[in-house]
């Protein structure tokens, strides 16, 4: 009997949210889709968050993923950018949690390492490796969608491993795993 699983990968952002979907059949990856939600034209940050939430729900309701892999925001030089990314990630996670889809969070270096073997790989290197792995004819102009696809592929490669990243199965699990952070505020 064939075992099937659909994994939705998300690269959150308030300018562009990239996403990719793979189907796993009998431990073999198959490309389903990748795309981007373009948010540049919206000035209001709350409109952007609403659109991220709605698009994530639409993806869940259309493709019925069994799991979501999401790229974690990383600390760069700009704290405001990290805050915006964290909000984008949070609303995408909230959409998944509202539909009871388990979520695993991966650091960008872990995703790059899973795809290329190099945690410092460029977006272009990740995209080219995905193109080769999944036999994609062309790559998109913007590489946010390949970053979302990379999160899904990373999750596939890390399946069954202990301590792959933060993993939430629903609101209760999220609250339980983050109570110490909430209590400190």
């Amino acid at each position: 009997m064939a075992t099937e699983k659909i994994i939705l990968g998300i690269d959150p952002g308030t300018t562009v949210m990239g996403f990719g979907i793979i189907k796993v059949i009998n431990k073999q990856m198959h490309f389903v889709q990748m795309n981007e939600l373009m948010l540049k034209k919206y000035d209001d940050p709350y409109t952007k968050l609403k659109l991220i939430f709605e698009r994530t729900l639409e993806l869940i309701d259309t493709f019925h993923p069994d799991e979501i892999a999401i790229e974690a925001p990383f600390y760069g030089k700009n704290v405001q950018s990290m805050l915006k990314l964290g909000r984008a990630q949070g609303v995408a996670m909230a959409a998944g949690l509202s539909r009871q889809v388990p979520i695993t969070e991966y650091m960008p270096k872990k995703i790059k390492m899973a795809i290329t073997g190099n945690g410092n790989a460029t977006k272009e290197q990740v995209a080219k490796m995905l193109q080769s792995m999944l036999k994609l004819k062309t790559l998109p102009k913007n590489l946010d969608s390949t970053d979302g696809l990379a999160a899904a592929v990373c999750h596939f490669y890390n399946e069954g491993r202990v301590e792959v990243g933060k993993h939430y199965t629903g609101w209760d699990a999220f609250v339980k795993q983050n109570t110490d952070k909430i209590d400190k505020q």
Side-chain angles (χ1 to χ4, degrees):
M1 183 171 187
T3 58
E4 280 190 26
K5 179 191 298 192
I6 296 174
I7 302 170
L8 167 61
I10 298 175
D11 176 30
T14 54
T15 305
V16 180
M17 177 183 93
F19 60 88
I21 302 163
I22 59 171
K23 182 183 274 191
V24 180
I25 303 171
N26 292 329
K27 299 184 181 185
Q28 293 287 320
M29 271 190 304
H30 302 277
F31 172 74
V32 175
Q33 184 187 51
M34 69 176 157
N35 210 331
E36 299 162 342
L37 172 62
M38 303 303 286
L39 299 161
K40 292 175 189 169
K41 63 184 174 184
Y42 302 99
D43 292 328
D44 180 41
Y46 303 109
T47 299
K48 291 179 178 190
L49 295 175
K50 177 181 175 279
L51 292 169
I52 291 167
F53 184 83
E54 290 173 348
R55 181 63 174 134
T56 304
L57 282 180
E58 182 183 322
L59 289 167
I60 292 167
D61 293 343
T62 301
F63 294 98
H64 308 287
D66 298 287
E67 298 171 2
I68 295 173
I70 191 162
E71 185 173 309
F74 62 96
Y75 180 73
K77 292 178 181 147
N78 188 333
V79 175
Q80 285 300 313
S81 293
M82 185 176 170
L83 179 61
K84 289 176 185 176
L85 280 175
R87 288 176 176 169
Q89 181 200 34
V91 295
M93 290 173 75
L97 293 169
S98 75
R99 293 290 197 262
Q100 302 297 309
V101 181
I103 299 168
T104 304
E105 186 178 3
Y106 294 95
M107 295 305 294
K109 281 187 179 274
K110 180 148 184 115
I111 294 171
K112 291 174 181 180
M113 179 63 88
I115 305 305
T116 67
N118 176 2
N120 295 315
T122 65
K123 282 180 171 278
E124 292 78 14
Q125 289 169 325
V126 170
K128 282 290 190 188
M129 189 60 89
L130 288 169
Q131 184 176 27
S132 174
M133 281 179 196
L134 297 168
K135 298 172 181 49
L136 305 173
K137 287 182 176 65
T138 59
L139 289 172
K141 188 176 83 167
N142 298 324
L143 299 179
D144 296 279
S145 58
T146 54
D147 286 349
L149 184 61
V153 172
C154 173
H155 187 67
F156 166 73
Y157 284 140
N158 283 281
E159 187 175 42
R161 294 203 180 146
V162 180
E163 210 49 46
V164 294
K166 292 185 180 177
H167 181 77
Y168 309 113
T169 55
W171 283 114
D172 292 338
F174 178 83
V175 171
K176 195 178 288 182
Q177 290 182 37
N178 289 286
T179 302
D180 61 325
K181 293 175 190 151
I182 295 166
D183 291 342
K184 290 178 184 175
Q185 294 181 353

